[in-house]
Amino acid sequence: MVYVQRTPPSSTPRLPWGVTVRRLTPEHAPTLAELGTDAAWIHSTWGGPTALAASGLGWAALRKDRILTVACAYLLSSTYEDIACVTVPEHRREHLAIACVTALCTDIAARGHTASWSCSRDNRPSRLLAWTAGFRLEREYVHYVAGSPTRHDHLTA
């Protein structure tokens, strides 16, 4: 599913005490790496945490020096910036993602680009975050995967 930001976010979140949202800088690279392998996909299109931190195209919610949420331009084109967001599990439902996405979308608009959001139909949390951030469904598409199917030694009915 592909969404495009069409309206402003439905609300401005109130952040928990001690949490700030700010643009990633090169100094944040080690902290991005500390997010671990489960969150490494967020910087994979950049070639790693150092490149994302230096890009100027990411925003994070931080408490002290620990990153709790990251939102960044995941894929770039001449018109669109498709964004991605990840929150560490123990800090979900604290409105950190919407705060980071809102800051990132403001930044994208200032560059004269359009923010877009892509996710699976089955990813309800992602779709809800997109909707809350003002994204509206632009189109649905089918994603095909090529290659060998997974081998099953025992098939059950």
Side-chain angles (χ1 to χ4, degrees), residues 18-50:
V19 174
T20 59
V21 172
R22 56 185 184 260
R23 184 187 308 273
L24 290 173
T25 64
E27 292 76 31
H28 292 114
T31 310
L32 270 173
E34 289 173 8
L35 290 174
T37 56
D38 287 344
W41 63 269
I42 195 77
H43 50 69
S44 65
T45 59
W46 288 98
T50 302

Side-chain angles (χ1 to χ4, degrees), residues 42-148:
I42 195 77
H43 50 69
S44 65
T45 59
W46 288 98
T50 302
L52 172 57
S55 73
L57 301 176
W59 288 77
L62 298 103
R63 178 173 283 131
K64 296 185 181 178
D65 290 329
R66 182 173 181 234
I67 292 177
L68 308 177
T69 299
V70 175
C72 67
Y74 192 67
L75 300 170
L76 300 171
S77 76
S78 58
T79 305
Y80 294 94
E81 294 188 28
D82 201 61
I83 64 176
C85 185
V86 65
T87 300
V88 296
E90 65 270 20
H91 289 283
R92 292 181 181 153
R93 298 182 185 260
E94 294 179 9
H95 309 287
L96 304 177
I98 188 65
C100 290
V101 168
T102 299
L104 176 61
C105 288
T106 300
D107 203 30
I108 290 170
R111 285 193 290 277
H113 290 172
T114 301
S116 64
W117 189 287
S118 301
C119 68
S120 163
R121 180 185 311 184
D122 298 330
N123 191 341
R124 188 167 190 270
S126 183
R127 290 186 298 118
L128 290 172
L129 177 56
W131 183 267
T132 304
F135 289 80
R136 299 299 177 258
L137 184 63
E138 184 77 11
R139 70 180 170 278
E140 293 187 54
Y141 63 94
V142 177
H143 192 137
Y144 295 97
V145 178
S148 301

